[in-house]
Amino acid sequence: MKKNIIFITTDHQRADTINMVQDGKEVTPNLNKLSKEGIHFERAYTTCPLSVPARTALATGIFPTRTDVVINDLKNIPDKTKEVKSIHEILEEEGYDVAHFGMQHITLKPSLEERVKFDRIITDDNYEEICRENSLPIFGVEADRILVEELHGDIVEKRNYTGSRVSFFKEDINLFRDRFYLNNCIDYLKEKNVDEKPLALFVNIWAPHPPFTLPESCYNRFKNIKLPPNINIPTENEPKKRREGIAAQLAGENDLSHWENVWRAYLGLTNYADELIGEIFKTLKEKKIYDNSIIIFTADHGDHLGQHKMFQKMEMYDQAINIPLIIKIPGEKSQRISMNVSHLDVVPTILECINKEMPNDLDGESLLKYLNGNEIENRAVYTQYSGNQVAIGDIRRCITEGKYKYIYDPRDSEEFFDLENDKLEMVNLGNNPDFEYEKLRLKNKLKSWCEKTKDWIHIK
């Protein structure tokens, strides 16, 4: 029988949380074990530092500008999405029972729920019902909001966004969003008969997404935090308009003690998510299906957490776009891959694992050919940002190739980073003549990618 597929994601989780130690403890002990059993892609990149475009591209293998799913708009769904399939649909066609637990931000027309006959599905809609029944806020309270000025087309409008406030969840833990999702998931797994049909299980954990409202016990898991050195420090030679971006506005003027609290909450939530993932693994082992399952773990994007004096995502620094990616494939030896890979490569990799013919319209490629010492040094990956909600806004286009990163902004100056010698991206080399050749080379590659993926932004 075909191998089961267990596809787990978190939200806002950075790549550097894997194998991170804070306060003398592992932040992600269960994922660390998975990385030792599977293939850990250390330089994996999202296609967009924003949930809806990132998750839609991850599920389809199609770059956001090709589907027009480029902002967090769950209502106005582009017609182009009619032309693409999600991995859920493909697996259903291949005879899998498909189940989903957690938020559902994949945006397609018709919707994912209309396209797939799920064996079981629990989403944010179900959790919102629980919130209404128990008089709980669905996405935080007014005190969590920060008013920012956001570019919408050619005008600037004020909107509220979730800030970095920390508070405690004091209700029954079974009413906590991710506990609700996982309770349903574990119940489903325990009763599921997996002997007749293979299982494709999708679990989307909300943590460590802000607002940072969490059980106090989670907050207290990491009390002595070692912060990165670039908290509250913008990049040298930062583009002049970068402080007008949402991430910079959300950071505000906060001291290091504030960011220590934020990191305690963030790491506590990340550790809680890892604990829930451990429960899934334990149940899979009890059902004796862990060893015969392809397990994929990743996140939609990361979070700056005060670095570069920014909060949330919505920029092209590695804190926002370098995400964890671990794939355990039965029969494949454990290894670490240091070359750049993309979310776009996940669907092709799954398809090759189940011996499914590859559609010719995917923007990524299977990663299996790069395993066992066959990785290449200078592989390019691409990321786009086109604003957050309501309308097209701030524009960023990015290419990361080998040790270099180039960022294009049609309204501002270029950014170029040497990631080997400047891992925190604190010195913009965009105007440094010593790097002019490499900058232009990456710029031209990015321009070609934009043309290939039907981007309306024309790099000059």
Side-chain angles (χ1 to χ4, degrees):
M1 192 168 75
K2 294 176 181 175
K3 296 177 178 65
N4 302 298
I5 295 174
I6 314 298
F7 199 140
I8 303 171
T9 67
T10 53
D11 203 309
H12 278 244
Q13 186 170 347
R14 298 155 43 134
D16 60 4
T17 57
I18 307 299
N19 295 315
M20 178 185 284
V21 174
Q22 286 275 10
D23 199 13
K25 299 182 286 289
E26 291 179 291
V27 176
T28 60
N30 291 296
L31 289 172
N32 294 349
K33 290 177 185 176
L34 184 69
S35 75
K36 291 179 175 66
E37 297 173 358
I39 305 145
H40 183 184
F41 297 93
E42 298 174 310
R43 302 296 303 169
Y45 284 86
T46 183
T47 58
C48 181
L50 203 63
S51 292
V52 171
R55 290 183 179 277
T56 303
L58 174 62
T60 61
I62 305 295
F63 197 71
T65 52
R66 283 188 57 207
T67 61
D68 286 344
V69 180
V70 295
I71 61 175
N72 270 357
D73 190 344
L74 293 167
K75 296 180 179 178
N76 301 301
I77 303 174
D79 286 336
K80 284 184 181 180
T81 61
K82 295 177 181 178
E83 303 167 10
V84 302
K85 276 187 178 180
S86 71
I87 186 64
H88 309 68
E89 296 171 79
I90 296 172
L91 293 176
E92 184 183 39
E93 291 170 356
E94 289 297 301
Y96 281 78
D97 277 341
V98 183
H100 173 102
F101 298 89
M103 74 288 202
Q104 205 300 83
H105 288 168
I106 298 165
T107 301
L108 300 170
K109 183 187 287 186
S111 70
L112 189 64
E113 292 86 340
E114 293 172 301
R115 293 175 178 223
V116 177
K117 185 179 180 181
F118 284 95
D119 193 43
R120 185 76 56 84
I121 180 167
I122 298 290
T123 70
D124 22 9
D125 291 339
N126 301 97
Y127 183 68
E128 287 179 17
E129 291 178 14
I130 297 295
C131 289
R132 284 190 288 269
E133 290 171 4
N134 292 274
S135 301
L136 294 175
I138 297 172
F139 295 111
V141 296
E142 192 62 32
D144 294 315
R145 312 282 184 242
I146 292 179
L147 190 65
V148 303
E149 293 186 340
E150 182 178 29
L151 184 67
H152 295 151
D154 295 325
I155 62 173
V156 174
E157 297 179 309
K158 293 184 177 181
R159 285 184 62 84
N160 281 310
Y161 277 86
T162 302
S164 54
R165 172 179 175 266
V166 175
S167 62
F168 296 135
F169 184 85
K170 298 180 179 180
E171 307 296 330
D172 181 347
I173 190 61
N174 291 305
L175 297 175
F176 194 60
R177 181 188 293 268
D178 286 324
R179 183 71 266 171
F180 168 77
Y181 293 147
L182 262 292
N183 284 345
N184 281 275
C185 176
I186 298 299
D187 288 345
Y188 170 78
L189 279 175
K190 286 181 176 179
E191 68 184 37
K192 177 65 178 171
N193 182 353
V194 294
D195 294 330
E196 297 177 354
K197 294 178 67 177
L199 172 65
L201 174 67
F202 294 84
V203 182
N204 294 345
I205 296 171
W206 178 251
H209 193 296
F212 294 138
T213 301
L214 71 165
E216 190 170 359
S217 60
C218 293
Y219 176 76
N220 288 326
R221 293 181 181 188
F222 302 94
K223 295 183 178 180
N224 300 301
I225 299 294
K226 183 179 180 181
L227 293 174
N230 63 336
I231 297 287
N232 279 340
I233 303 175
T235 292
E236 183 181 325
N237 304 321
E238 180 184 71
K240 293 180 180 178
K241 294 182 184 295
R242 199 58 90 243
R243 291 294 109 191
E244 298 175 10
I246 298 171
Q249 293 184 66
L250 288 175
E253 299 296 332
N254 290 297
D255 60 19
L256 292 181
S257 64
H258 170 83
W259 292 114
E260 286 173 0
N261 281 331
V262 168
W263 275 72
R264 283 184 65 177
Y266 178 85
L267 295 178
L269 282 168
T270 303
N271 183 256
Y272 182 71
D274 182 84
E275 185 179 292
L276 299 178
I277 292 168
E279 290 183 32
I280 296 173
F281 293 166
K282 180 175 180 288
T283 307
L284 293 173
K285 289 173 182 177
E286 290 171 350
K287 299 280 288 187
K288 302 188 185 308
I289 59 174
Y290 181 86
D291 292 336
N292 192 43
S293 294
I294 299 167
I295 299 178
I296 304 106
F297 171 76
T298 190
D300 52 357
H301 51 72
D303 196 304
H304 293 95
L305 298 173
Q307 291 178 264
H308 294 103
K309 201 175 182 182
M310 292 179 176
F311 179 65
Q312 286 214 40
K313 55 273 186 179
M314 298 169 281
E315 293 291 352
M316 295 296 175
Y317 299 120
D318 266 13
Q319 291 85 37
I321 66 172
N322 180 205
I323 39 84
L325 177 61
I326 303 169
I327 304 178
K328 183 185 81 69
I329 304 170
E332 194 65 62
K333 70 178 183 180
S334 172
Q335 52 199 289
R336 289 189 173 192
I337 303 295
S338 59
M339 74 172 189
N340 295 334
V341 303
S342 170
H343 266 171
L344 297 172
D345 302 318
V346 174
V347 167
T349 302
I350 294 172
L351 295 182
E352 184 171 357
C353 284
I354 64 170
N355 298 313
K356 170 69 175 174
E357 185 178 349
M358 206 75 62
N360 57 17
D361 63 340
L362 300 182
D363 288 321
E365 59 180 341
S366 172
L367 297 172
L368 297 188
K369 65 183 178 184
Y370 296 117
L371 304 184
N372 304 313
N374 293 313
E375 57 187 291
I376 57 177
E377 186 174 350
N378 294 316
R379 189 169 187 260
V381 293
Y382 302 88
T383 310
Q384 73 86 40
Y385 176 72
S386 301
N388 195 330
Q389 300 181 54
V390 181
I392 300 299
D394 285 326
I395 299 293
R396 313 277 189 266
R397 298 293 185 263
C398 175
I399 174 175
T400 307
E401 183 193 82
K403 66 178 184 177
Y404 294 125
K405 178 189 288 186
Y406 170 79
I407 304 167
Y408 177 80
D409 179 346
R411 299 174 59 242
D412 215 334
S413 56
E414 300 168 304
E415 289 181 279
F416 186 82
F417 295 100
D418 180 347
L419 301 177
E420 184 174 84
N421 297 301
D422 180 21
K423 294 184 186 302
L424 294 177
E425 298 162 283
M426 291 306 296
V427 180
N428 176 18
L429 302 169
N431 290 321
N432 187 321
D434 292 341
F435 292 89
E436 186 69 14
Y437 172 81
E438 290 294 344
K439 185 188 77 171
L440 289 176
R441 186 179 66 81
L442 262 64
K443 181 177 183 177
N444 286 330
K445 288 192 74 169
L446 179 61
K447 180 179 180 180
S448 296
W449 176 262
C450 290
E451 292 169 353
K452 174 187 173 183
T453 55
K454 303 184 185 339
D455 202 328
W456 70 94
I457 298 299
H458 300 288
I459 296 177
K460 300 176 182 178

